[in-house]
Amino acid sequence: MEDNRRWLPVAAIAPILWGSTYYVTRHTLPADSPLWGGVLRALPAGLVLLVLARRLPRGSWWWRSLVLGTLTVGAFFALVYVAAQALPSSIASTVMALGPVVMMLAAWVLLGRRPLLRAVVGGVLGVVGVAVMLLGGGDGAGLDPRGIAASVAAMLMSSIGYVLANRWQGEVEVLPLTAWQLVAGALVLLPVAVAVEGPPPALDGTAVLGFAYVSLVATAVANVAWFAALRHLGPSTVGLVGLLNPVTGVLLGTVLAAEVLTWRQAVGIAVVLGAMALGASRARRPAPEVVGPVSPGQPAGSAAPSGANR
């Protein structure tokens, strides 16, 4: 039985980089074009990886790439946009934090991989930690059902997408698999961005640099690291590692934006780290599994607070 805990630092690269996009988005990118932000984030990253992979889809991978890209990028970004318009970010982020538990159950139903009890307990503790970290006294007042539905749909679609990727990923290498999903997802999102937001936003030099970071680093590098780790770590571990996403957002807001770290946030971070430690204690498994990010996608270009999800 192989000990795969050495892949934990690789898995952590992705949520940490995703968490860094909130600060970059807030301070460098246009706040009124989140759908175009998603396109400008995913498409360049996918094209760069496609050039590096030097491989186009073949056979069934044309429709598989479209399915995976729609579930994990295109539809996800659009649904997160709807949720961001209708809900406080703290509520949407807490809903998305249910992702690890949902993906454990989806892997059980679709792939027959029964989660360990400690993994489920860790997932529940992770949700509690994120809720304590992000929720304030009046966040739940007057919630829009459309926002809740969009958050739940985004979580479910991305969870199913990553479980399907687990089923299919053994046929291709990490680089082309990641490139195809990003390009397909961006092309699905492109007509929605045009219909809803019109022409792409004008970008100044600061915004160009911001998009370069969120696309090439926080998307291309992060997604390759994530999928590479997913070949060796299961949902009980990787899903919990993904909770570093909102933790990173909160800590960067404190360090770079001089935001105050409250006692609630400190307690929530401690609970999240404890949940991750519980899951990481069993990162030893005979066969690879896969899971998606807790929240693979607050679109670049939207004004996300430091505690929001990817």
Side-chain angles (χ1 to χ4, degrees), residues 42-65:
L43 187 57
L47 292 176
V48 168
L49 294 180
L50 191 61
V51 170
L52 294 176
R54 302 177 63 183
R55 180 178 174 185
L56 292 174
R58 295 181 180 178
S60 62
W61 270 104
W62 286 104
W63 67 263
R64 289 180 178 182
S65 299

Side-chain angles (χ1 to χ4, degrees), residues 86-237:
L87 291 177
S89 298
S90 56
I91 299 293
S93 297
T94 302
V95 172
M96 295 303 298
L98 291 166
V101 175
V102 172
M103 282 180 283
M104 292 178 205
L105 297 177
W108 188 5
V109 172
L110 298 178
L111 303 179
R113 294 172 179 170
R114 184 174 181 176
L116 297 171
L117 177 60
R118 71 171 61 197
V120 177
V121 173
V124 173
L125 284 176
V127 176
V128 172
V130 171
V132 170
M133 182 171 56
L134 300 181
L135 295 183
D139 288 340
L143 294 182
D144 189 333
R146 296 172 300 173
I148 294 293
S151 293
V152 172
M155 177 189 60
L156 292 175
M157 292 181 73
S158 59
S159 299
I160 293 172
Y162 286 99
V163 171
L164 289 176
N166 180 208
R167 174 176 290 181
W168 297 333
Q169 71 172 353
E171 302 176 15
V172 297
E173 297 176 353
V174 170
L175 209 58
L177 174 66
T178 308
W180 299 342
Q181 289 186 71
L182 289 171
V183 172
L187 294 179
V188 168
L189 187 59
L190 179 59
V192 180
V194 173
V196 175
E197 298 176 353
L203 304 178
D204 57 18
T206 300
V208 170
L209 291 176
F211 272 119
Y213 174 80
V214 299
S215 181
L216 301 180
V217 178
T219 300
V221 173
N223 282 27
V224 169
W226 186 258
F227 277 99
L230 292 179
R231 289 180 180 262
H232 301 273
L233 297 171
S236 61
T237 301

